[in-house]
Amino acid sequence: MNWQNIFERIQRHTIIYGVIAALLIAILMTMVSMALYVSSGASRLDLSRPGYENIRAEVQSGREDNTFRANGPLNEAVYDDFQDRFTKRREVMQQLGDYRSTALNDRELQIAPSE
Amino acid sequence: MIGLVLLSAPLVRAETTRPLTDQYIEAIRLGCSNALQSMRQIQRVEAVTRVNRGQEYEGMLKLVSALNSRIVLNKQDAPRLTSAASQMQTTFTKFQRDYLEYAEKFDTAQRINCREAPVSFYDALNDMREARAVVATDVTTFSELLDEYQASFNEFRGLVPEASSQSRAEELDP
C-alpha cells in the first residue's frame, strides 16, 4: 500500500478518518494537560478534587486589592491608605495556620506506645 | 544470617532523637489506621491554608510593589523597602516550592502500607514532618520580612513626608 492508496482511502472515508484524527488529538492534548497539571504541582493545590468538598467553603474568596495605584503623589493620606491595607492583610495572615500545630506528633496521631 | 539479625533487631530506625523499640513499632502498627485518617484530615485543612496563604502573599506582594513603584516614580530612593520586597518575593517562591515537597512527602507516607511496613511508614512520617517544618520556617521568614518592611516604611515616611505628585508617565504625557 503506497501513499497514493492511503490518500485515496482517506478521501473515500473522510468523516471516519476525521473523527479518528480528532479523537487522537483530543487524547494527546488531554495527556499533555494532565502531565502539566501533575508536574506543575497544581494537582496538589486543586481543592475541587474528591474529598475536599466539605473544606472548600473555607477558602477565602480572593480579595483583589488593586485600588492602591502604582503612580500618584506621596503624602500622609497615601501613607495612611497604604498602612491600612498593609495592616489588614497582616491581620488576615495571622489568623491562618502556620504549619506548626502539634497535630502530626506521635501522641496526637496515637502511634506512640502508652506509658 | 547477619542480614536476618539486622532486620529483626529491636532498635530498628531512629526518629531524630530516639530509636524505635519493638513496643513503639507495635504501637505504630496498631494505631496507624487511625493515624492515616487524621493525616488525611490534616492534609485537607493544610491545603486550604496553603491556598489562603498564597492568596494573601500575592496580594501583599502586589501592594508593596505598587508602593515601591510609586516611590520610584516620585524620584525617591528607598533601597530597604525594595530589598525587603524582593526578599518577600523570593520567600514566597520558596514557600510554594517547599509546600509542594511537603505535599509530596505527605502522599508518600500515605501510600505505604503501615501495618505491613510500620518502620518505613514512620520514616516517611518523619520526612514529612521535616518538610513541614521547612514550610513553617518560610511562613516565619515571610512574617519577619513584613516586620522589616513595616520598619523601613515607617523610616521612609519620617524622612519623606511628602513628594511631588508628578509621575514619569505624566512627565512623558504633559
Side-chain angles (χ1 to χ4, degrees):
Chain A
M1 186 181 281
N2 57 28
W3 286 110
Q4 184 66 31
N5 289 343
I6 293 170
F7 189 68
E8 280 172 10
R9 180 185 274 252
I10 290 172
Q11 274 191 324
R12 275 200 304 275
H13 307 284
T14 318
I15 293 175
I16 292 170
Y17 282 106
V19 169
I20 291 170
L23 282 172
L24 288 175
I25 290 168
I27 290 168
L28 183 73
M29 296 302 280
T30 306
M31 285 166 71
V32 170
S33 307
M34 285 304 291
L36 286 173
Y37 174 68
V38 173
S39 67
S40 69
S43 62
R44 294 180 196 282
L45 299 177
D46 183 1
L47 301 182
S48 62
R49 284 175 292 168
Y52 285 77
E53 297 86 357
N54 299 334
I55 212 139
R56 222 173 287 154
E58 291 176 30
V59 175
Q60 294 167 1
S61 54
R63 292 185 297 114
E64 277 302 312
D65 190 8
N66 295 330
T67 47
F68 190 85
R69 286 171 42 222
N71 55 14
L74 287 174
N75 54 41
E76 284 303 315
V78 170
Y79 293 144
D80 285 341
D81 182 26
F82 173 81
Q83 184 63 69
D84 187 43
R85 292 165 196 269
F86 188 86
T87 307
K88 275 183 187 152
R89 283 212 176 267
R90 287 211 75 175
E91 281 168 2
V92 173
M93 282 181 203
Q94 277 158 6
Q95 285 162 14
L96 298 173
D98 58 3
Y99 304 95
R100 287 188 190 282
S101 74
T102 56
L104 287 173
N105 286 356
D106 289 357
R107 209 152 286 283
E108 296 287 336
L109 291 176
Q110 297 176 358
I111 54 171
S114 49
E115 286 164 10
Chain B
M1 184 65 186
I2 294 170
L4 193 66
V5 170
L6 285 174
L7 281 174
S8 59
L11 304 181
V12 183
R13 165 67 163 85
E15 194 183 352
T16 31
T17 50
R18 64 185 166 196
L20 281 181
T21 59
D22 280 346
Q23 192 192 7
Y24 221 109
I25 293 170
E26 195 50 32
I28 295 168
R29 202 192 303 275
L30 289 174
C32 72
S33 298
N34 287 337
L36 280 171
Q37 271 189 350
S38 305
M39 284 166 65
R40 277 186 209 107
Q41 185 58 29
I42 294 164
Q43 186 181 33
R44 288 184 197 123
V45 170
E46 294 198 332
V48 173
T49 301
R50 161 65 186 85
V51 170
N52 286 338
R53 265 202 183 275
Q55 281 181 2
E56 287 306 318
Y57 285 168
E58 278 175 2
M60 186 61 99
L61 284 167
K62 273 186 197 168
L63 181 64
V64 299
S65 152
L67 180 72
N68 287 355
S69 298
R70 193 183 274 229
I71 289 169
V72 171
L73 289 169
N74 279 281
K75 297 175 183 168
Q76 300 299 320
D77 199 19
R80 285 183 62 198
L81 287 176
T82 315
S83 163
S86 158
Q87 287 179 65
M88 277 156 64
Q89 180 60 61
T90 309
T91 306
F92 178 47
T93 308
K94 186 173 178 302
F95 167 76
Q96 289 174 308
R97 199 181 49 233
D98 290 341
Y99 180 84
L100 286 181
E101 203 172 317
Y102 164 52
E104 222 170 278
K105 290 188 172 169
F106 218 127
D107 288 346
T108 305
Q110 289 184 81
R111 273 198 296 268
I112 295 172
N113 185 332
C114 59
R115 283 183 168 274
E116 283 179 16
V119 177
S120 303
F121 171 73
Y122 197 72
D123 284 346
L125 190 61
N126 277 336
D127 283 350
M128 185 192 84
R129 286 168 178 154
E130 280 169 24
R132 186 174 185 252
V134 175
V135 177
T137 308
D138 293 337
V139 171
T140 307
T141 307
F142 199 94
S143 177
E144 286 168 358
L145 288 168
L146 288 174
D147 288 339
E148 196 178 316
Y149 194 91
Q150 177 71 72
S152 307
F153 172 70
N154 293 343
E155 187 184 295
F156 178 82
R157 189 176 179 169
L159 290 171
V160 187
E162 201 156 320
S164 160
S165 64
Q166 194 176 33
S167 71
R168 282 184 190 165
E170 286 163 346
E171 282 172 24
L172 289 171
D173 185 17

